[in-house]
C-alpha cells in the first residue's frame, strides 16, 4: 500500500458506542440466570409473542415467498449501497431535507448536539430508535446539558428506571407490570398515588406524563425503519402513536439512521410492511406508519435533518460471510424464539443489539477483538430457530460459526501457549482424521468403564469437561466400539456371513 | 441396495448398539450393509467451535472414506452428523481453499441420508411393525433434535416410524421443538445456559409420564439422559433405531435403573 491519499478511508472502520459486551457472555449469563423474576418475566413474554407470531405467519400462504423477496431486496440493496445512498441523498435534499454523514458514534452525537444547539432548545422528545441507543445519544446529550425524553412507553419505563433496554422491540420485556407501577410511582413528578398495575391505568399515567412534553417540544429526535432511495422518503413504523406526534408536532426533526436501512424503491416497502409487523409484534398490520419526504411548507417540521450513520456497518459489509447481518430489519423475531435469550435476557449480551442477531451484528460492527465481543458468537446452541423465524432469511447460525472461526484465527498467531480448547481440538483432529487413529483410541474404552465404576456413570470431569458434569452424568462407555464389533463379525477367515448374524443391539 | 453405514464417532465409541440396530433394520429389509473402515467423524465439533483449519483434515478423511462407487447410498443414525456432511463439508473445503475437496464433498453429501429419511423416502417403510417386525411395549416420548428438524427438515419421519412400532405407547412431549441445550462445545463453554435449557427439557419429559425419551441423535440423547441421570430420574433415553430393531423375540431391555441412551443394559 502506498501512503498516497486516495480519497478512501482504510477499511474496516469499526463501530463504537453501545455495541460491546463488557464481560464475557458466560459470566453475564450466569448472573442473569440467577434472577428468577427476570426469567419468569422473559419466559412469559417471549412465549406470548412467539405464539402470536406463529399464528399470523401461518395464515399467509405466501410467507416463504415473501421472505425470499425480502431477502433478495436487501441483498440487492447491499450490493448497490453506494449508488443508492447517493440517490437517496439527492432526492432527500431536493425536497428540502438536509443530510449529514457520520462515520461513527462520536461524529453522530456531535452532529445531533450541534443541530439541537442551533435551535436554542435544551429539551428534545424522542421516538424509539435503535440507532440512537447504539451511539449512546441520550447520555451524550445529558453531558451537554440537553434533556432527551423517551416517548415510547417501554423506553420511558426503562429511562425512568435508569436502566438499559433488554430487547430491541420490547425494551422493558424484563419488567412485569407491578415493577412498572413501582417505577412510575417512584420516578414520575406528578402521578396518582393510587395507581394500580392495571395495564390501562399504567398507559394512562404515561400518557398524562408525556402529553405536556409533546405539546411543548420544539425538537424531536427519531430513528427510521426504512429509507426509500427513489423518492428520498423516511419511514417510522410503530404501535403507540407517540412517534407520529414527535414526527409531526415539533419544528425541527432530526433523524438518525444506519446506512443499511435503505430500500431501492417505494414499491419495495410493500414487502416489508407485510414482513415486519407479523414478525415483530405478531400483528397483521402495525397501528401507525409515518412516511415523510423532506419538508412540506406549512405542515409538520420545517427543519428536517437526517444523520446517516456508518459506525461499523461498512466493516460488516466488507465481511463476505457476515454481510447479510445488515439485512436485519430489527423485528426481534430471532430473540423471541431464542432459547438462550429466553433464559439470559438482553442485558447479558452487553450490546444494544441482543439475542441471536446481536451475537453476530455486534462483533461484525466492532471487529471480533473489541472488548468481550468475541464471546458473543458462542452464545448459541446453533439450534437454528432464529434462522427459521427471520423474515429476511439471515442465516444466523452459519454466521455465528463463521465468526467463531474468525475468533479462533485471530488468536492463532498471537497465542504463545495453546488454550485447553486448542489442545482438545488438535488432539481431536488427529483422532478424527483417520479410522485407524480412532480405533486406537477406542481400544481404551474399557478404561472409561473402569473410571465409571459400579455406578456405571462418570459424575465428575476435569477442566472444560467440568462444565458438562456440573449438571450431567456421562454413561460408562461400552467394552468395545461398533468398529471393533464389526471387524470381529466380518473377518473373512472366520467364515461368518454377516447377513445371518443377529446384531447385539437387537437382543440386549 | 448396497448401503454404506456412517456410524458417526459418538455412536461408534459410546453407543455401538445404535449402529448395530441400524445394521439390523437394513438387513431385515434385505439390503447389504457395508462399513467403510476409513471413516471417523463428520467434523462438526471442529467446525462449530470455529476450528476450520483442523476440520479440514477431518472432512477430507470422511470424503476419502465415502467417495467411492462401492455403495448406492450412505446412511447415518444422526440428523446432526448428516446435516454436517450435507451442509458443512463444502463450506469447510471452500474456506480452506480446497476446490477439489469441495466438489467431492458435494457428491458424498448428495448420497448421504439420515436413517428415517432413508427408511421413509427411499426404502418405503410406512409401518415398522409390519415391515420390520418392530415391537416395543413401552410408554415413550420423543424429542426431535434441532438439526434434523431445521437443517434436514425431517418433519415427523422419526416420530411416524416410532408410532408404527407394535405395542408402543407414544406420548407427546410439550415444547418438543425447543433445543435441549446440547450444542456441542456450547454445553461446556456456556454450561449454565445449557444446563438451564436441559432442565426445562427434563421437566417436560418427566411430565409426560413416559418411561423413555427417544430421538434421532445420540449426542442430544446423551445430554438429555445425562441430565435425567444426575437428577436421579428413572427416565432414560433411547435412539429410535434401537426401538425399531426391537422385536417380540429379541426385545431391547429397558428394565432396571437409569439408561443413558442404552448404555446401561
Amino acid at each position: 500500500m502506498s501512503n498516497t491519499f486516495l480519497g478512501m478511508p482504510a477499511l474496516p472502520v469499526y463501530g463504537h458506542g453501545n455495541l460491546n459486551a463488557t464481560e464475557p457472555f458466560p459470566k453475564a449469563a450466569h448472573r442473569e440466570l440467577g434472577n428468577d423474576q427476570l426469567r419468569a418475566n422473559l419466559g412469559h413474554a417471549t412465549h406470548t409473542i412467539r405464539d402470536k407470531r406463529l399464528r399470523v405467519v401461518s395464515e399467509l400462504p405466501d410467507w416463504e415467498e415473501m421472505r425470499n423477496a425480502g431477502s433478495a431486496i436487501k441483498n440487492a440493496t447491499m450490493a448497490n449501497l453506494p449508488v443508492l445512498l447517493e440517490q437517496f441523498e439527492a432526492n432527500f435534499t431536493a425536497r428540502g431535507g438536509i443530510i449529514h454523514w457520520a462515520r461513527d458514534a462520536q461524529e453522530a452525537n456531535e452532529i445531533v448536539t450541534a443541530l439541537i444547539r442551533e435551535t436554542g432548545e435544551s429539551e428534545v422528545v424522542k421516538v424509539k430508535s435503535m440507532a440512537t441507543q447504539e451511539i449512546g445519544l441520550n447520555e451524550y446529550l445529558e453531558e451537554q446539558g440537553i434533556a432527551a425524553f423517551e416517548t415510547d412507553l417501554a423506553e420511558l419505563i426503562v429511562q425512568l428506571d435508569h436502566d438499559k433496554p433488554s430487547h430491541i422491540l420490547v425494551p422493558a420485556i424484563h419488567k412485569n407490570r407491578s415493577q412498572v407501577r413501582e417505577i412510575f410511582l417512584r420516578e414520575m413528578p406528578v402521578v396518582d398515588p393510587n395507581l394500580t398495575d392495571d395495564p390501562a391505568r399504567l398507559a394512562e399515567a404515561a400518557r398524562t406524563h408525556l402529553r405536556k412534553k409533546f405539546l411543548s417540544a420544539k425538537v424531536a429526535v427519531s430513528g427510521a425503519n426504512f429509507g426509500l432511495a427513489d423518492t428520498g422518503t423516511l419511514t417510522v413504523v410503530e404501535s403507540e402513536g407517540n412517534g407520529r406526534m414527535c414526527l409531526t408536532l415539533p419544528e425541527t426533526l432530526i433523524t438518525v439512521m444506519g446506512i443499511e436501512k435503505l430500500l431501492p424503491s417505494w414499491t419495495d416497502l410493500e414487502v416489508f410492511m407485510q414482513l415486519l409487523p407479523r414478525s415483530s409484534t405478531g400483528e397483521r398490520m402495525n397501528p401507525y406508519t409515518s412516511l415523510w419526504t423532506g419538508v412540506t411548507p406549512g405542515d409538520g417540521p420545517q427543519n428536517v435533518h437526517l444523520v446517516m450513520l456508518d459506525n461499523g456497518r461498512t466493516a460488516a459489509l466488507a465481511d463476505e460471510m457476515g454481510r447479510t447481518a445488515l439485512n436485519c430489519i430489527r423485528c426481534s423475531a430471532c430473540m423471541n424464539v431464542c432459547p438462550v435469550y429466553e433464559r439470559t435476557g438482553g442485558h447479558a449480551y452487553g450490546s444494544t443489539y441482543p439475542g441471536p442477531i446481536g451475537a453476530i451484528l455486534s462483533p461484525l460492527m466492532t471487529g471480533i477483538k473489541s472488548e468481550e465481543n468475541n464471546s458473543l458468537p458462542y452464545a448459541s446452541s446453533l439450534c437454528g430457530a432464529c434462522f427459521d423465524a427471520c423474515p429476511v432469511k439471515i442465516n444466523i447460525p452459519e454466521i455465528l460459526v463463521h465468526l467463531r472461526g474468525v475468533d479462533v484465527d485471530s488468536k492463532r498467531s498471537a497465542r504463545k501457549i495453546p488454550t485447553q480448547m486448542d489442545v482438545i481440538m488438535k488432539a481431536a483432529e488427529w483422532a478424527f482424521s483417520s479410522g485407524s487413529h480412532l480405533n486406537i483410541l477406542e481400544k481404551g474404552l474399557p478404561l472409561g468403564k473402569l473410571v465409571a465404576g459400579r455406578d456405571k456413570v462418570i459424575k465428575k470431569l476435569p477442566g472444560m469437561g467440568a462444565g458438562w458434569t456440573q449438571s450431567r452424568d456421562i454413561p460408562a462407555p461400552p467394552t468395545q466400539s461398533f468398529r471393533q464389533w464389526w471387524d470381529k463379525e466380518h473377518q473373512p477367515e472366520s467364515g461368518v456371513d454377516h447377513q445371518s448374524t443377529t446384531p447385539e443391539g437387537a437382543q440386549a | 441396495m448396497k448401503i454404506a453405514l456412517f456410524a458417526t464417532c459418538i455412536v461408534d465409541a459410546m453407543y455401538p448398539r445404535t449402529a448395530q440396530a441400524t445394521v439390523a433394520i437394513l438387513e431385515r429389509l434385505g439390503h447389504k450393509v457395508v462399513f467403510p473402515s476409513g471413516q471417523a467423524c463428520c467434523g462438526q465439533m471442529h467446525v462449530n467451535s470455529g476450528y476450520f483449519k483442523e476440520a479440514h483434515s477431518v472432512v477430507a478423511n470422511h470424503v476419502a472414506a465415502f467417495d467411492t462407487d462401492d455403495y448406492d447410498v450412505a446412511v447415518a443414525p444422526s440428523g446432526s452428523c448428516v446435516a454436517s456432511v450435507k451442509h458443512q463439508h463444502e463450506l469447510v473445503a471452500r474456506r480452506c481453499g480446497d476446490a477439489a475437496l469441495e466438489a467431492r464433498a458435494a457428491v458424498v453429501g448428495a448420497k448421504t441420508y439420515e436413517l428415517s429419511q432413508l427408511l421413509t423416502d427411499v426404502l418405503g417403510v410406512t409401518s415398522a411393525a409390519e415391515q420390520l417386525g418392530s415391537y416395543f411395549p413401552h410408554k415413550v416420548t420423543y424429542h426431535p433434535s434441532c438439526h434434523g428438524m431445521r437443517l434436514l427438515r425431517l418433519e415427523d419421519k422419526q416420530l411416524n416410524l416410532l408410532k408404527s412400532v407394535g405395542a408402543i405407547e407414544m406420548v407427546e412431549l410439550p415444547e418438543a421443538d425447543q433445543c435441549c441445550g446440547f450444542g456441542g462445545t456450547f454445553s461446556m463453554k456456556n454450561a449454565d445456559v445449557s444446563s438451564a435449557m436441559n432442565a426445562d427439557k427434563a421437566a417436560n419429559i418427566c411430565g409426560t409420564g413416559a418411561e423413555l425419551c427417544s430421538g434421532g441423535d445420540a449426542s442430544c440423547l446423551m445430554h438429555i439422559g445425562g441430565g435425567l441421570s444426575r437428577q436421579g430420574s428413572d427416565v432414560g433415553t433411547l435412539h429410535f433405531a434401537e426401538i425399531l430393531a426391537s422385536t417380540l423375540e429379541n426385545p431391547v431391555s429397558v428394565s432396571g435403573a437409569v439408561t443413558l441412551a442404552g448404555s446401561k443394559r
Side-chain angles (χ1 to χ4, degrees):
Chain A
M1 286 285 286
S2 81
N3 289 326
T4 317
F5 180 65
L6 297 172
M8 280 283 285
L11 287 176
V13 176
Y14 286 127
H16 303 281
N18 299 328
L19 285 173
N20 285 298
T22 49
E23 58 184 330
F25 183 82
K27 199 176 159 206
H30 178 80
R31 185 185 54 247
E32 302 293 321
L33 278 166
N35 184 342
D36 292 340
Q37 180 71 62
L38 173 81
R39 274 180 76 183
N41 293 355
L42 274 172
H44 176 73
T46 53
H47 281 250
T48 306
I49 309 178
R50 205 182 281 182
D51 295 345
K52 252 180 107 180
R53 188 195 78 89
L54 269 182
R55 270 202 306 277
V56 296
V57 161
S58 60
E59 67 188 22
L60 286 186
D62 59 345
W63 181 250
E64 286 309 312
E65 286 85 347
M66 203 105 73
R67 289 175 76 212
N68 287 335
S71 170
I73 292 168
K74 275 294 185 182
N75 283 341
T77 304
M78 298 313 152
N80 202 27
L81 194 56
V83 172
L84 292 172
L85 283 168
E86 288 189 8
Q87 191 191 352
F88 181 90
E89 179 178 35
N91 288 324
F92 188 79
T93 308
R95 295 290 298 263
I98 302 169
I99 291 226
H100 312 263
W101 298 90
R103 203 174 327 211
D104 57 18
Q106 181 66 24
E107 275 190 16
N109 284 331
E110 286 169 5
I111 292 166
V112 175
T113 307
L115 291 172
I116 297 170
R117 288 240 168 89
E118 272 175 32
T119 67
E121 295 294 316
S122 60
E123 280 190 6
V124 298
V125 286
K126 278 194 72 203
V127 189
K128 181 173 157 23
S129 142
M130 296 314 301
T132 61
Q133 292 281 359
E134 172 191 325
I135 62 176
L137 180 66
N138 290 5
E139 296 75 18
Y140 186 88
L141 290 178
E142 196 181 335
E143 284 167 23
Q144 308 299 315
I146 299 168
F149 295 95
E150 292 291 350
T151 63
D152 173 87
L153 177 54
E155 289 285 359
L156 173 70
I157 294 165
V158 169
Q159 191 183 34
L160 285 173
D161 198 33
H162 314 286
D163 195 3
K164 274 177 24 177
S166 67
H167 189 282
I168 64 174
L169 189 84
V170 197
I173 195 168
H174 55 296
K175 302 202 191 293
N176 63 23
R177 52 195 172 132
S178 71
Q179 290 168 309
V180 172
R181 174 181 166 271
E182 285 164 29
I183 295 164
F184 281 7
L185 285 174
R186 190 178 71 232
E187 301 286 342
M188 279 181 176
V190 183
V191 66
D192 176 4
N194 299 317
L195 183 67
T196 66
D197 66 359
D198 172 32
R201 295 281 306 274
L202 292 173
E204 185 53 38
R207 195 174 289 128
T208 312
H209 173 76
L210 288 171
R211 188 62 51 133
K212 291 191 287 286
K213 297 285 173 209
F214 286 132
L215 295 175
S216 61
K218 297 275 189 285
V219 182
V221 175
S222 86
N225 290 93
F226 305 101
L228 311 175
D230 66 345
T231 56
T233 303
L234 290 172
T235 316
V236 161
V237 175
E238 48 141 355
S239 295
E240 297 173 11
N242 63 301
R244 173 70 55 82
M245 298 186 90
C246 292
L247 296 168
T248 50
L249 291 174
E251 290 164 10
T252 300
L253 173 60
I254 304 164
T255 301
V256 182
M257 178 175 83
I259 54 171
E260 86 285 18
K261 292 277 154 207
L262 290 191
L263 297 177
S265 76
W266 176 275
T267 49
D268 294 326
L269 197 55
E270 172 208 344
V271 173
F272 293 92
M273 289 310 295
Q274 294 179 77
L275 287 174
L276 182 53
R278 285 177 202 261
S279 301
S280 56
T281 50
E283 293 169 302
R284 297 185 181 97
M285 190 182 170
N286 56 292
Y288 292 88
T289 301
S290 301
L291 298 115
W292 68 102
T293 308
V295 177
T296 304
D299 185 11
Q302 297 299 296
N303 309 306
V304 175
H305 296 272
L306 173 64
V307 181
M308 283 285 214
L309 179 69
D310 186 326
N311 205 33
R313 286 161 176 80
T314 305
L317 191 61
D319 186 320
E320 199 185 337
M321 288 289 296
R323 64 171 59 129
T324 50
L326 292 175
N327 294 1
C328 175
I329 56 173
R330 311 283 190 264
C331 73
S332 73
C334 64
M335 46 201 84
N336 296 334
V337 299
C338 178
V340 176
Y341 176 90
E342 178 192 337
R343 289 171 179 84
T344 66
H347 291 160
Y349 297 79
S351 165
T352 294
Y353 304 107
I357 186 64
I360 58 173
L361 199 54
S362 306
L364 279 166
M365 287 168 70
T366 64
I368 198 79
K369 291 181 177 174
S370 181
E371 295 199 40
E372 301 294 344
N373 275 3
N374 62 358
S375 71
L376 294 178
Y378 299 94
S380 166
S381 66
L382 304 177
C383 82
C386 50
F387 183 23
D388 273 6
C390 179
V392 289
K393 295 182 88 167
I394 302 169
N395 191 335
I396 296 177
E398 195 171 287
I399 300 177
L400 285 165
V401 169
H402 158 68
L403 289 172
R404 292 175 188 187
V406 172
D407 172 50
V408 168
D409 288 342
S410 78
K411 292 168 181 162
R412 280 185 198 278
S413 49
R415 199 178 276 147
K416 289 192 184 69
I417 305 163
T419 63
Q420 198 182 142
M421 193 66 158
D422 293 341
V423 174
I424 292 170
M425 290 295 153
K426 205 71 205 167
E429 182 190 6
W430 179 85
F432 292 155
S433 58
S434 145
S436 51
H437 288 180
L438 187 55
N439 192 33
I440 292 169
L441 268 188
E442 286 168 347
K443 294 215 165 112
L445 285 171
L447 205 67
K449 204 171 176 92
L450 203 68
V451 172
R454 285 177 57 194
D455 292 346
K456 295 186 181 172
V457 288
I458 298 165
K459 288 187 176 294
K460 208 170 166 69
L461 284 177
M464 280 193 66
W468 177 279
T469 49
Q470 78 175 38
S471 71
R472 291 150 288 217
D473 293 337
I474 291 188
T479 40
Q480 65 174 354
S481 67
F482 172 78
R483 183 186 307 269
Q484 287 157 358
W485 172 83
W486 178 274
D487 285 347
K488 278 180 200 152
E489 294 288 320
H490 296 84
Q491 276 167 6
E493 60 275 15
S494 73
V496 178
D497 175 14
H498 79 277
Q499 295 273 3
S500 64
T501 58
T502 309
E504 199 182 323
Q507 42 187 220
Chain B
M1 194 178 268
K2 200 169 176 186
I3 300 168
L5 173 66
F6 170 34
T8 76
C9 64
I10 184 168
V11 164
D12 181 19
M14 293 295 286
Y15 301 103
R17 285 164 201 273
T18 299
Q20 288 163 349
T22 306
V23 174
I25 296 163
L26 297 173
E27 290 185 346
R28 228 177 269 165
L29 289 166
H31 301 286
K32 177 161 175 63
V33 178
V34 293
F35 181 76
S37 62
Q39 67 177 278
C41 169
C42 66
Q44 69 169 311
M45 180 183 79
H46 285 104
V47 178
N48 290 347
S49 302
Y51 287 77
F52 282 86
K53 194 167 143 264
E54 287 78 3
H56 182 240
S57 47
V58 180
V59 169
N61 178 69
H62 181 85
V63 171
F66 283 87
D67 186 20
T68 71
D69 293 329
D70 191 37
Y71 66 92
D72 301 306
V73 293
V75 68
S78 161
S80 191
C81 306
V82 170
S84 173
V85 169
K86 281 184 170 305
H87 299 294
Q88 289 188 328
H89 283 192
E90 289 172 77
L91 207 74
V92 170
R94 204 176 313 142
R95 193 166 172 134
C96 296
D98 191 340
L101 181 63
E102 188 181 341
R104 292 169 67 210
V107 173
V108 172
K111 280 171 84 174
T112 306
Y113 291 81
E114 182 275 336
L115 180 59
S116 72
Q117 258 179 342
L118 182 72
L119 291 174
T120 310
D121 296 349
V122 182
L123 304 181
V125 176
T126 50
S127 167
E130 285 173 26
Q131 292 162 277
L132 297 167
S134 310
Y135 179 84
F136 194 74
H138 296 282
K139 192 172 178 181
V140 176
T141 193
Y142 164 77
H143 166 69
S145 286
C146 300
H147 291 175
M149 180 168 51
R150 301 202 179 89
L151 291 172
L152 297 180
R153 303 288 175 201
L154 296 181
E155 295 171 339
D156 287 335
K157 290 190 176 81
Q158 295 176 350
L159 183 61
N160 288 341
L161 287 168
L162 282 170
K163 282 179 175 169
S164 71
V165 168
I168 200 167
E169 185 193 346
M170 292 300 296
V171 284
E172 198 182 325
L173 178 65
E175 308 225 293
D177 66 346
Q178 293 297 297
C179 178
C180 74
F182 171 59
T185 47
F186 172 78
S187 60
M188 290 177 268
K189 282 199 155 202
N190 277 286
D192 293 327
V193 186
S194 168
S195 297
M197 289 161 72
N198 203 23
D200 291 345
K201 181 59 73 182
N204 277 323
I205 290 170
C206 293
T208 64
E211 297 165 63
L212 285 168
C213 176
S214 186
D217 273 277
S219 51
C220 309
L221 293 175
M222 180 168 91
H223 183 246
I224 295 168
L228 289 165
S229 166
R230 177 61 59 88
Q231 292 174 16
S233 167
D234 285 338
V235 182
T237 58
L238 190 63
H239 195 285
F240 81 91
E242 295 181 61
I243 294 178
L244 296 188
S246 180
T247 61
L248 185 59
E249 296 74 27
N250 284 316
V252 168
S253 164
V254 293
S255 60
V258 179
T259 54
L260 286 170
S263 68
K264 264 191 139 180
R265 295 182 311 279

